[in-house]
Amino acid sequence: MPHTTYALNGMVSAPHHAASAAGAEILRRGGNAVEAAIAAAATLCVVYPHMTGLGGDAFFLISPKADRERGRPPLFVDGAGRSGGRVTREFYLEKGLGAIPARGPLAAATVAGAVAAWEKALEAAAKFPGGTLPLPALLEAAIEYAESGFAVTRSQSVMTGAALPGLRGLPGFAGQFLPGGSVPRPGERLRLPTLAETLRRLGREGLSAFYRSERGEPAARPWAAGCPLLPDDLAGCRAALRVPLGKRLFGGMIYNSPPPTQGGASLMILALLERCARRDGLGPEALAEPATLAHLTTEAVKQAFAVRNEYFADPARMSLPAEAYLEDTFLDDLAGRIRPGASSAVPHVVPGGDTVWFGAADRHGTVVSAIQSIYHEFGSGVVLADSGVTWQNRSLGFDFAPGRPNSLGPGKQPFHTLSPALAVMGDGRCIAYGSMGGDGQPQTQAAVFVRAFVAGAPLQDAVNAPRWLFGRAWGDHSTSLKLEDSFSPEVFDTLRRLGHETESVPAPSSLMGHAGVVVLHPDGLMEGAADERGDGCAAGW
């Protein structure tokens, strides 16, 4: 089992070791944490192609030291792409579809905002200490891996095989991800030369060339593959700098992403845990006791997700701002519905998704918590032949039924499970943390935060410890509490007595997400951890 990584000059945590190394190299060259995060992000788009890509969305929380000293919140970079101008419910009904398909060109109905988010994050980083390295340097590792090849991970091989029936015949997929017509084996070298050339072009022309170019066609042309996106949809794509959600909890200021993401639900869960601990007289160690933490977090998830599913959407379509659901009186009412000795019945449907979280810190005090995704494994499954870009299927985040805040419509941001977290503690620590895993993200965030920063467990132990997931995974017929089988039998027995329908899954399980943490201490010491469930590491310099 890996141990917590320590460093004094810079730290990167990512779910693939190549991305961590790429970010750490940028820090070693004098780049700042944002530049390191972009290098890691680009590398992940190559070496973890089932989880993320240039054709997806991304969000960043960025906390410079100067802003923390002034009591300012982190910067939030909103890289959620919008639906195309012709993407309506009627558009799908006219094609004989009663829902947005999960795969294929018609699933690729939202613009990819990740590259725009990189651009916006780098604009902000230009004002921070450290850097500024040229863009080609940030993309160098990603280009090298795409051109020379990388070793396929076990997770890529397994997920390719599992999803193959729905992917094999999609535009561009077999040519890019099925070398020789077969699922690549773990350790097999895979080259993505077309994607390498796209990354080179972005290095030469700038990241905006992904969407619009004065020299002709943009780098990404989803309409050529039959996707319902037009040149004007991409040309209008811009990431935005926004204010994150924040709540003072457990002795610190905890931040997460605002709608259209589920970041507010993550804050609600921690707030409900704090209230339940206070009500029930639970100290830090008692709250972190496995059965207690799993039970109370699950009950908090039920309450928070009921709110999230009903109200969270494109912020322009919400009747109340997300901050209304973080008010103390509202949270007190929700906490009153949670019983310490029994499970409640609050049904909800859990969307799936594959994602990458990564974080970075530099010696100048900037800390980054970031996340990006193409949603399902390989997203829509559509690979753009002239760019090697796999396009997301984030349009599945819309509600196909009309008249709701998250109903499908043109020019809208879909609901997002992506939600990076960042905390500024009362003792001066700045913590970037997060996880992949759809609805598992806020559950994993709560587990890691309580274990490491409330109960004081060693960082790597808090990340690797047995975890759970409440909800219905894809293909399931019931909503259960899934626990890794590394929990003791007593934990299973206790949760069943409390009324939970439990299910055992082999540990370590990727179903529980790939978590990561980066901590910057006030004296400059940095700690990092990466989940044993992934293929990553924390790399320090």
Side-chain angles (χ1 to χ4, degrees):
M1 179 182 294
H3 298 286
T4 301
T5 300
Y6 298 94
L8 292 172
N9 293 301
M11 179 71 70
V12 178
S13 176
H16 193 290
H17 58 86
S20 300
E25 174 62 15
I26 293 300
L27 292 170
R28 191 190 65 78
R29 293 188 198 177
N32 60 35
V34 175
E35 292 171 329
I38 299 302
T43 303
L44 286 165
C45 288
V46 176
V47 301
Y48 239 30
H50 53 308
M51 295 285 188
T52 190
L54 274 68
D57 285 345
F59 302 103
F60 289 76
L61 284 172
I62 305 170
S63 178
K65 181 179 180 181
D67 283 2
R68 294 197 300 277
E69 291 176 342
R70 292 175 173 84
R72 295 173 181 166
L75 302 173
F76 174 66
V77 179
D78 180 350
R82 297 180 180 274
S83 52
R86 58 174 175 160
V87 176
T88 64
R89 188 169 183 269
E90 290 68 30
F91 173 85
Y92 287 95
L93 291 174
E94 288 171 1
K95 297 181 180 299
L97 298 171
I100 301 171
R103 302 289 194 182
L106 294 182
T110 61
V111 176
V115 176
W118 299 358
E119 183 177 40
K120 183 62 71 174
L122 288 173
E123 287 176 8
K127 303 172 185 177
F128 302 161
T132 305
L133 294 178
L135 179 60
L138 307 185
L139 304 179
E140 183 178 299
I143 293 169
E144 174 65 21
Y145 281 114
E147 185 168 68
S148 299
F150 59 94
V152 170
T153 61
R154 182 179 181 276
S155 68
Q156 180 182 339
S157 179
V158 169
M159 288 188 176
T160 302
L164 191 59
L167 294 172
R168 186 191 293 275
L170 296 179
F173 183 83
Q176 179 134 309
F177 295 119
L178 299 178
S182 302
V183 174
R185 302 180 308 277
E188 183 176 342
R189 183 188 293 265
L190 183 64
R191 294 180 175 90
L192 306 176
T194 306
L195 184 59
E197 183 50 42
T198 296
L199 289 163
R200 270 203 193 85
R201 178 181 173 186
L202 297 182
R204 291 192 307 266
E205 299 181 25
L207 294 173
S208 62
F210 187 82
Y211 305 97
R212 48 200 170 270
S213 176
E214 297 178 356
R215 307 182 187 184
E217 295 281 0
R221 300 173 59 244
W223 50 88
C227 306
L229 295 169
L230 299 174
D232 285 349
D233 297 325
L234 266 68
C237 180
R238 303 289 192 285
L241 279 181
R242 297 175 55 201
V243 178
L245 298 176
K247 186 73 176 174
R248 188 164 295 282
L249 300 164
F250 291 109
M253 196 67 192
I254 319 298
Y255 297 98
N256 216 300
S257 50
T261 83
Q262 66 172 340
S266 186
L267 292 175
M268 291 171 69
I269 290 165
L270 280 178
L272 295 177
L273 284 175
E274 185 180 58
R275 281 161 169 76
C276 289
R278 186 167 56 240
R279 177 197 67 193
D280 301 337
L282 299 174
E285 291 185 1
L287 177 61
E289 190 276 325
T292 299
L293 185 58
H295 168 66
L296 291 178
T297 302
T298 299
E299 295 307 296
V301 164
K302 293 174 183 178
Q303 299 297 330
F305 282 7
V307 173
R308 183 205 69 177
N309 293 351
E310 183 69 22
Y311 302 112
F312 285 17
D314 184 321
R317 272 73 177 185
M318 290 175 62
S319 57
L320 292 173
E323 289 82 358
Y325 306 105
L326 295 173
E327 292 180 356
D328 288 339
T329 52
F330 183 80
L331 293 169
D332 290 343
D333 177 67
L334 292 186
R337 305 176 190 181
I338 297 175
R339 295 176 291 170
S343 169
S344 62
V346 180
H348 70 282
V349 176
V350 177
D354 292 303
T355 303
V356 290
W357 176 90
F358 47 101
D362 64 35
R363 59 182 173 176
H364 304 288
T366 298
V367 178
V368 177
S369 181
I371 198 164
Q372 63 182 29
S373 173
I374 48 176
Y375 201 24
H376 289 185
E377 65 279 0
F378 296 105
S380 67
V382 174
V383 179
L384 308 184
D386 55 357
S387 64
V389 171
T390 306
W391 213 262
Q392 66 184 355
N393 58 348
R394 188 57 66 172
S395 54
L396 295 182
F398 286 118
D399 189 335
F400 198 75
R404 297 176 59 79
N406 197 43
S407 294
L408 178 67
K412 293 181 66 174
Q413 291 180 314
F415 169 75
H416 257 281
T417 52
L418 300 187
S419 49
L422 189 145
V424 180
M425 304 305 289
D427 61 8
R429 287 175 296 170
C430 186
I431 303 160
Y433 66 106
S435 174
M436 62 161 273
D439 273 18
Q441 287 181 43
Q443 302 181 56
T444 294
Q445 287 180 11
V448 171
F449 185 88
V450 169
R451 287 167 170 166
F453 306 113
V454 178
L459 204 59
Q460 190 66 54
D461 292 352
V463 169
N464 285 349
R467 291 208 296 267
W468 64 88
L469 172 69
F470 171 71
R472 180 183 301 154
W474 291 105
D476 284 354
H477 300 290
S478 63
T479 300
S480 64
L481 179 58
K482 300 168 180 62
L483 299 102
E484 289 182 310
D485 60 11
S486 47
F487 278 110
S488 70
E490 291 75 21
V491 170
F492 281 88
D493 290 343
T494 298
L495 291 169
R496 290 186 188 113
R497 285 199 303 271
L498 292 171
H500 295 283
E501 179 188 347
T502 65
E503 179 182 345
S504 176
V505 297
S509 173
S510 287
L511 185 65
M512 306 301 161
H514 300 165
V517 188
V518 171
V519 182
L520 175 62
H521 292 267
D523 63 358
L525 175 68
M526 301 174 203
E527 292 182 85
D531 207 323
E532 67 175 354
R533 298 166 181 84
D535 298 280
C537 66
W541 176 69

